[in-house]
Amino acid sequence: MKRLEVSLPGLKMKNPIMPASGCFGFGREYAGLYDLSVLGAAAIKAATVEARFGNPTPRVAETHSGMLNAIGLQNPGVDQIMEKELPFLKSYDLPIVANIAGSTEEDYCEVAEKMSSHPQVSVLELNISCPNVKEGGIQFGTDARTAAALTKRVKAVSSKPVYVKLSPNVANIAEMAIAVEEAGADGISMINTLLGMRIDLKTRKPILANKTGGLSGPAIKPVAIRMIHEVSQAVSIPIIGMGGVSCAEDVIEFMLAGASAVAVGTANFVDPFICPDIISQLPELLEKMNVSHIRELIGGSWRECEVPSLSR
Amino acid sequence: MKKELVEVVSQKEIARHIFELKVQGNVVNEMTSPGQFVHIRVTDTFQPLLRRPISICDVDLESRTLTMLYRKEGTGTALLSQKKEGEKIDLLGPLGNGFPLDELSQGQTALLVGGGIGVPPLYYLAKKLCSQGINVISVLGFQSGDDGFYSEKFAELGEAYVSTVDGSQGTKGFVTDVIKNKDLHYDLLYSCGPTVMLKALELQVPAANGFFSLEERMGCGIGACFACVCHVNGGLPSDYVKVCSDGPVFPIGEVVL
Ligand SMILES: Cc1cc2nc3c(=O)[nH]c(=O)nc-3n(C[C@H](O)[C@H](O)[C@H](O)COP(=O)(O)OP(=O)(O)OC[C@H]3O[C@@H](n4cnc5c(N)ncnc54)[C@H](O)[C@@H]3O)c2cc1C
Ligand SMILES: Cc1cc2nc3c(=O)[nH]c(=O)nc-3n(C[C@H](O)[C@H](O)[C@H](O)COP(=O)(O)O)c2cc1C
Ligand code: FES
């Protein structure tokens, strides 16, 4: 299995696969289905200072090969998560990516300081890109100066590496990435969901109670690939890539685009066994591609000299 | 809970747009609680992407056969309705918590109230209750006679009444009209149907005491995505239950409808 190992700041992973934040709860549900220790890491649901109920239902709507969600960062609050949810994951050999969100810089700092002090948390993932809450998240994710200022403050209070999760809902994503890198981010997660909407023909009203929601699933994969390809050449910190990953081939494509690890979101809902299935399929796929170690693939689409040759 | 490729045994349209689908598989052995549901992936492609929740309507443990009734609504159920005998279906289940069966003792009476496509889970419930010596009265509400199904099967298990909105069959009006007109007496109420119907029951049926099965749009179906949450009556604004994993069955009054 050594050929699947990847190393990112704060994350020593047996393989590059992790479930994406918000699509894996706090692990309990999937723990009933398979041994979570097979995963490279796991990103847990966003934590905020206080418990949040989130948006009214309906919160999901289907689209062509994708879905819209407007959960609204529902979570039991950082204290509850640290006391009640994280201990459950202790029995697994599983680095935890703690996704954090807030409405103000102070909120983020409070959650970051607490979360990063927890012995089971490996890294923080700053969610500055949730499109589903008015007051928080996204406003930090669409302006490079604001994002950089937040990153700097969180870095100052966090004892663990900090990844910044970028929003695809911007005109220039590389500019955002460069800004957070300069502010001290240890890595980048991308992409979060794309802002979208659907309208019910019968009622002539938006399907989601929140009207708009975040688009995820296979439908957004080309957008994610394009953005990772662009950002990975603009920064030198590693990228956790996500957006529509649903099979082992997708993982390879993300890594070729420039991702060092890959998160699987919506596909967990389609098939709850998708992460372990992908992990078990990777070695054979690498064999077929004549790749001796998965890390050779990272950035292979633009790092010309390192593209592994198919004919070898 | 298991994920299994189950085999289609039969499929037929039993009322307007209502299909009865029987499938066979080992996972059926686990389906002992009425009110639970399964999550079905209707294609191998991502079109449509999400699974579809469908209730357990009847189970034959001996032949490992599950019966589901569903209404052809949109893309997903239309694709499901095309599945032929011998084809495989990707099924995840059983999911959620069903109707409690130990609330009544022999000789007591349960009133089962189903609205439209809320009727199916009550059939397995009626069978289970009957086998425990509990009297079952059922009231089934439909839009019209053409939309009705399974009333004769419920009649085999106890008193059964039908209401239709257009009056084409049974009592004209709603299930609540039947309960009032027939002056039905019972010890516990079990119901599944549209939220408006559940609300009406909560308000109009005297001392409604029992269990409701709720519906909500789902992402994962297993409690991981927070798509299907409801507020809790009398709780903090941040208190919630998840329909998929805490429900779909809840004690009447527990959840804000
Ligand atoms: C716990 C539970 C049990 C159910 N049991 C049954 C049953 O036994 N028989 C039956 O006919 N129907 C049942 N339903 C409703 C059934 O899931 C929907 O009718 C079905 O998902 C519609 O899919 P579609 O592709 O045909 O419709 P579309 O409108 O194309 O679906 C689009 C999206 O909306 C969702 N959706 C649409 N209607 C509903 C709904 N009423 N409830 C939840 N999600 C919905 C779909 O799952 C899908 O994600 C149940 C729902 C739940 C939550
Ligand atoms: C239901 C749902 C909830 C999500 N919740 C969060 C969240 O709490 N924090 C976060 O950073 N991203 C959240 N996301 C975004 C995902 O982590 C991921 O970035 C996005 O869905 C793209 O990946 P996918 O196409 O594989 O799902 C959520 C996505 C979905 C579908
Ligand atoms: S459908 Fe995902 S939590 Fe209920």
Side-chain angles (χ1 to χ4, degrees):
Chain A
M1 286 299 271
K2 285 256 188 296
R3 74 193 300 194
L4 295 184
E5 276 178 7
V6 293
S7 219
L8 285 78
L11 293 171
K12 217 179 139 350
M13 298 168 67
K14 321 182 244 312
N15 60 66
I17 308 303
M18 68 172 87
S21 176
C23 303
F24 199 64
F26 298 100
R28 274 177 209 277
E29 293 74 22
Y30 292 88
L33 294 169
Y34 59 85
D35 177 6
L36 302 185
S37 298
V38 303
L39 299 168
I44 54 174
K45 179 79 193 152
T48 52
V49 176
E50 306 285 348
R52 278 184 62 98
F53 182 82
N55 292 319
T57 56
R59 294 175 170 189
V60 296
E62 237 184 354
T63 70
H64 288 275
S65 297
M67 67 179 268
L68 292 169
N69 89 79
I71 307 295
L73 297 181
Q74 177 149 16
N75 79 96
V78 64
D79 294 333
Q80 287 281 320
I81 293 174
M82 295 204 308
E83 276 164 42
K84 301 229 167 95
E85 305 292 346
L86 286 174
F88 171 79
L89 293 169
K90 199 172 178 173
S91 51
Y92 301 96
D93 172 22
L94 186 66
I96 301 295
V97 176
N99 189 272
I100 68 176
S103 322
T104 60
E105 284 188 8
E106 288 69 32
D107 282 359
Y108 275 97
C109 289
E110 185 177 340
V111 182
E113 193 167 1
K114 284 184 173 169
M115 270 294 191
S116 77
S117 72
H118 199 287
Q120 277 170 257
V121 169
S122 300
V123 301
L124 299 182
E125 181 176 59
L126 287 195
N127 180 0
I128 57 165
S129 47
C130 177
N132 295 324
V133 285
K134 275 196 204 77
E135 73 276 23
I138 194 78
Q139 107 221 7
F140 292 99
T142 48
D143 177 67
R145 291 224 323 264
T146 323
L150 178 69
T151 307
K152 210 172 235 164
R153 283 194 62 179
V154 170
K155 268 299 283 181
V157 298
S158 171
S159 54
K160 306 269 166 71
V162 174
Y163 289 63
V164 180
K165 185 158 176 179
L166 299 183
S167 169
N169 303 306
V170 294
N172 187 342
I173 191 148
E175 178 196 38
M176 296 295 300
I178 293 165
V180 300
E181 179 182 38
E182 281 171 356
D186 300 281
I188 285 170
S189 298
M190 61 189 290
I191 58 177
N192 208 318
T193 53
L194 288 146
L195 195 57
M197 184 192 262
R198 282 212 53 208
I199 292 164
D200 185 328
L201 300 195
K202 274 191 217 141
T203 63
R204 304 186 176 196
K205 300 270 180 301
I207 296 179
L208 295 172
N210 194 46
K211 296 195 177 75
T212 60
L215 179 63
S216 64
I220 70 168
K221 196 182 90 178
V223 180
I225 296 286
R226 186 268 289 174
M227 290 187 160
I228 292 165
H229 183 262
E230 189 179 333
V231 167
S232 60
Q233 294 178 74
V235 299
S236 51
I237 48 179
I239 295 172
I240 302 173
M242 66 201 82
V245 176
S246 63
C247 60
E249 284 80 1
D250 287 347
V251 171
I252 306 288
E253 196 176 338
F254 272 75
M255 295 187 75
L256 287 172
S260 297
V262 172
V264 182
T266 305
N268 289 290
F269 307 158
V270 181
D271 182 351
F273 294 94
I274 194 81
C275 287
D277 283 355
I278 287 177
I279 292 164
S280 68
Q281 285 158 16
L282 278 173
E284 198 184 324
L285 191 52
L286 292 184
E287 201 67 45
K288 245 195 252 168
M289 294 179 74
N290 272 317
V291 174
S292 55
H293 197 287
I294 200 158
R295 85 171 89 75
E296 290 168 23
L297 295 169
I298 302 168
S301 63
W302 50 266
R303 231 175 250 154
E304 272 157 56
C305 52
E306 285 180 29
V307 172
S309 118
L310 272 172
S311 59
R312 194 169 53 183
Chain B
M1 184 208 315
K2 277 203 187 89
K3 188 171 84 94
E4 189 178 320
L5 286 176
V6 295
E7 186 174 324
V8 175
V9 177
S10 68
Q11 162 123 269
K12 57 175 190 265
E13 192 166 0
I14 58 168
R16 183 162 61 188
H17 304 314
I18 305 287
F19 288 77
E20 183 191 65
L21 171 63
K22 290 185 192 278
V23 297
Q24 199 176 45
N26 292 329
V27 58
V28 176
N29 290 329
E30 294 177 23
M31 299 180 181
T32 50
S33 174
Q36 287 186 300
F37 64 101
V38 298
H39 219 190
I40 289 182
R41 190 170 173 202
V42 296
T43 59
D44 305 338
T45 68
F46 298 125
Q47 203 59 277
L49 185 69
L50 297 173
R51 289 172 177 267
R52 298 301 193 257
I54 301 288
S55 300
I56 292 171
C57 169
D58 196 9
V59 169
D60 180 6
L61 292 173
E62 223 161 273
S63 63
R64 295 176 295 117
T65 307
L66 159 71
T67 304
M68 294 171 273
L69 300 185
Y70 63 92
R71 182 163 57 211
K72 192 167 123 186
E73 285 273 350
T75 334
T77 45
L79 280 166
L80 192 59
S81 72
Q82 289 162 15
K83 299 277 178 190
K84 301 264 173 330
E85 197 183 317
E87 278 188 69
K88 301 275 191 205
I89 294 181
D90 178 343
L91 179 148
L92 182 71
L95 303 179
N97 298 297
F99 293 105
L101 297 168
D102 50 6
E103 300 278 318
L104 292 174
S105 34
Q106 227 172 350
Q108 286 192 294
T109 302
L111 178 66
L112 275 49
V113 180
I117 205 62
V119 166
L122 299 179
Y123 183 64
Y124 191 29
L125 174 67
K127 277 177 78 173
K128 285 268 185 185
L129 292 173
C130 271
S131 72
Q132 290 177 205
I134 291 155
N135 305 320
V136 172
I137 307 178
S138 23
V139 179
L140 314 178
F142 301 105
Q143 285 298 317
S144 86
D146 291 341
D147 304 308
F149 54 89
Y150 264 45
S151 51
E152 59 308 326
K153 294 194 73 148
F154 276 90
E156 288 167 15
L157 301 169
E159 275 175 65
Y161 303 92
V162 169
S163 73
T164 51
V165 178
D166 69 358
S168 58
Q169 202 189 318
T171 303
K172 182 175 162 67
F174 302 110
V175 288
T176 42
D177 297 321
V178 176
I179 299 170
K180 260 184 246 151
N181 296 350
K182 309 278 176 194
D183 193 24
L184 299 177
H185 293 276
Y186 55 91
D187 298 295
L188 204 67
L189 173 69
Y190 292 97
S191 184
C192 181
T195 308
V196 281
M197 183 192 91
L198 301 181
K199 265 190 191 153
L201 284 171
E202 209 171 56
L203 294 172
Q204 294 171 31
V205 171
N209 168 22
F211 298 89
F212 282 165
S213 178
L214 308 188
E215 250 187 38
E216 193 49 79
R217 292 209 174 211
M218 293 188 177
C220 65
I222 61 172
C225 75
F226 290 85
C228 66
V229 297
C230 293
H231 285 287
V232 177
N233 267 319
L236 297 171
S238 61
D239 286 349
Y240 65 89
V241 287
K242 293 175 190 159
V243 172
C244 68
S245 54
D246 297 318
V249 174
F250 295 100
I252 292 175
E254 182 174 309
V255 170
V256 180
L257 294 175

